[in-house]
Amino acid sequence: MTWAVSARVLLPLLLLGAVRAPDCTDSSRCTGPPRRYTPDWPSLDSRPLPAWFDEAKFGVFVHWGVFSVPAWGSEWFWWHWEAEKLPAYQNFMRENYPPNFSYADFGPQFTARFFHPDSWADLFEASGRRFLGFGKRAGRGLRNIHYGLYHSLLEWFHPLYLRDKKNDFKTQYFVREKIMPELYDLVNRYKPDLIWSDGEWEGPDTYWNSTNFLSWLYNDSPVKDVVVVNDRWGKNCSCHHGGYYNCQDKFKPETLPDHKWEMCTSIDKMSWGYRRDMVLTDITSEYSIISELVRTVSLGGNYLLNIGPTKDGLIVPIFQERLLAVGKWLGINGEAIYASKPWRVQFEKNATSVWYTSKGPTVYAIFLYWPESGILSLKSPIVTSTTQITMLGIQNDLKWSKNPGEDLLVYLPHLPPAAVPTEFAWTIKLTGVK
């Protein structure tokens, strides 16, 4: 999901996190001089992740740029048309635009005339997000939101980049003249809480001068105490070096990773940017989004959900609807998500699909399917004399028992459909269990 930096503006997520050990970025908790990080991966990788990111859990990613003008195919429109010369894109241009029309000619049509930042902020807050990221042309000041910047290292058609690429990345004309000055300016000018790096895969981190930039970012930048970065800093870095790990787009580990990670995905399953040819079957369902969020958080990750505004700055109703559905669900179940930690067991594969999270001694069991019997069976929690069980969104305690096979049986409330807290993915809160 990369393109030329100059062709894209984005908003990444909202996050809230769990408590971690002091990292001496908070002077009230640490004594002595702050640790300084040297420009090498062993040192940089040892930096503790600022707590806010892990606590946030959910964020919004926004892909918005010149590709939103043709709004067709995908946000890689320029590359598919000009570099790969795919027939579908060639035909689209012949049928819709005059001869000799260039990608730069789309620029004046990227008007953002209906872009109202307060309206966007209202929507993002209603979605339940705890951090938000912008691309490099967006401003600061979106309320109480952690905000980040997307930045692509490569630029497909920049002459200096093509010169370095031709030299097998043994020269750094593009890095020294364009990328590094740009990155330092982005940080000093906009002071982002998060840098979502991308476009790293063709050159090694030594070509990009990534470790030098990150050591400055962690030691001396205006955001050194709070900034978070991902792992896309060279073709050898993904899932190995950096702050948290993206590993790949739509990354879904099967078991609990030993490093903080993120799943980034898009409401439009076919593109990250807005498409005029989008159809309803291309849209991820509310159930799938909530299920992915639950699974991701249970396995210790953050969930970054993408939308693509129009060239005018409008967020189409179907994207609004999906974001508001997440917000509605988190309004009931957010206690089990925000600032949670993975429990000793993450998942029970049964007819109800149960995922676990925890906060200290409290355990949350989020089940995706309501059992026909009205009885939820849990194998993993061990009850004690102080065990209490409730459902988020329901006031009264739930009855429970142990069956002969030692499963914990939770008797779900008999409620009319209108009184059920959410349409899917319900949360059982367990205290006094082991």
Side-chain angles (χ1 to χ4, degrees), residues 11 23 89 97 130 205 214 217 286 298 315 322 351 353:
L11 311 171
D23 64 1
Y89 288 78
Y97 295 94
R130 299 300 179 89
D205 65 278
L214 291 173
L217 186 71
E286 294 178 12
S298 181
I315 298 172
R322 292 296 186 266
S353 291

Side-chain angles (χ1 to χ4, degrees), residues 90-405:
Q90 298 276 310
N91 292 337
F92 175 84
M93 290 302 300
R94 277 196 297 268
E95 293 171 1
N96 294 280
Y97 295 94
N100 301 318
F101 192 94
S102 71
Y103 191 76
D105 291 329
F106 287 124
Q109 300 177 47
F110 183 61
T111 64
R113 64 182 302 178
F114 300 124
F115 171 54
H116 300 295
D118 285 344
S119 297
W120 283 27
D122 288 341
L123 175 63
F124 298 143
E125 287 188 330
S127 76
R129 87 293 164 273
R130 299 300 179 89
F131 83 80
L132 179 71
F134 283 92
K136 50 192 275 191
R137 284 177 285 178
R140 186 101 168 136
L142 270 185
R143 310 184 185 186
N144 186 22
I145 298 174
H146 284 282
Y147 115 108
L149 293 173
Y150 172 95
H151 181 269
S152 177
L153 293 172
L154 66 78
E155 294 194 18
W156 292 325
F157 305 109
H158 196 291
L160 291 180
Y161 180 70
L162 295 177
R163 183 178 180 183
D164 287 344
K165 186 175 179 178
K166 184 178 180 180
N167 293 335
D168 197 26
F169 299 109
K170 291 182 170 58
T171 57
Q172 293 180 300
Y173 298 107
F174 178 67
V175 174
R176 291 172 180 164
E177 298 297 323
K178 173 67 163 59
I179 287 300
M180 280 300 122
E182 180 175 76
L183 271 171
Y184 284 93
D185 180 63
L186 282 175
V187 173
N188 286 318
R189 186 189 300 261
Y190 296 109
K191 301 176 177 59
D193 299 316
L194 185 149
I195 297 176
W196 211 97
S197 183
D198 199 9
E200 83 297 353
W201 56 81
E202 291 189 336
D205 65 278
T206 50
Y207 166 71
W208 298 114
N209 281 351
S210 297
T211 56
N212 285 308
F213 170 74
L214 291 173
S215 64
W216 169 82
L217 186 71
Y218 293 169
N219 292 327
D220 301 310
S221 78
V223 291
K224 61 185 175 62
D225 294 338
V226 298
V227 71
V228 174
V229 303
N230 62 349
D231 58 350
R232 300 184 182 189
W233 296 99
K235 68 178 183 179
N236 52 327
C237 292
S238 182
C239 232
H240 292 95
H241 298 299
Y244 65 91
Y245 292 169
N246 292 125
C247 296
Q248 61 192 34
D249 292 349
K250 304 185 180 181
F251 176 56
K252 283 186 180 181
E254 295 297 322
T255 58
L256 179 65
D258 59 6
H259 192 94
K260 183 64 187 180
W261 65 283
E262 171 191 87
M263 178 187 179
C264 63
T265 190
S266 186
I267 294 177
D268 179 358
K269 292 178 282 189
M270 309 302 292
S271 176
W272 300 86
Y274 173 70
R275 297 182 303 133
R276 291 178 287 171
D277 54 333
M278 177 177 63
V279 296
L280 189 59
T281 54
D282 296 334
I283 301 299
T284 308
S285 69
E286 294 178 12
Y287 172 79
S288 295
I289 290 170
I290 298 299
S291 299
E292 286 183 343
L293 168 63
V294 169
R295 171 195 170 102
T296 298
V297 173
S298 181
L299 291 175
N302 283 0
Y303 188 66
L304 181 57
L305 184 62
N306 176 75
I307 61 169
T310 70
K311 65 179 183 180
D312 309 298
L314 296 174
I315 298 172
V316 294
I318 192 66
F319 292 162
Q320 296 184 43
E321 183 180 65
R322 292 296 186 266
L323 291 179
L324 292 173
V326 176
K328 179 181 177 181
W329 188 88
L330 286 170
I332 300 294
N333 300 280
E335 178 183 337
I337 299 296
Y338 301 128
S340 67
K341 288 289 188 181
W343 193 44
R344 60 176 176 83
V345 175
Q346 291 82 54
F347 176 58
E348 289 184 12
K349 189 175 183 180
N350 52 37
T352 56
S353 291
V354 179
W355 293 91
Y356 290 98
T357 64
S358 67
K359 283 183 185 176
T362 302
V363 176
Y364 301 91
I366 306 172
F367 59 104
L368 304 182
Y369 302 99
W370 193 281
E372 291 185 6
S373 65
I375 302 173
L376 180 66
S377 178
L378 302 175
K379 293 184 177 296
S380 303
I382 302 171
V383 300
T384 68
S385 60
T386 62
T387 295
Q388 285 187 299
I389 300 177
T390 58
M391 176 181 283
L392 297 187
I394 301 294
Q395 290 186 344
N396 298 327
D397 288 358
L398 302 182
K399 295 181 179 180
W400 59 272
S401 66
K402 294 284 287 184
N403 74 359

Side-chain angles (χ1 to χ4, degrees), residues 69-88:
V69 176
W72 188 88
S74 85
E75 78 290 346
W76 278 54
F77 186 96
W78 193 8
W79 180 259
H80 295 324
W81 168 37
E82 294 279 27
E84 295 181 311
K85 302 187 182 302
L86 296 183

Side-chain angles (χ1 to χ4, degrees), residues 39-56:
D40 57 81
W41 289 121
S43 177
L44 297 170
D45 289 344
S46 70
R47 177 181 182 256
L49 198 69
W52 72 263
F53 181 80
D54 180 54
E55 293 168 357

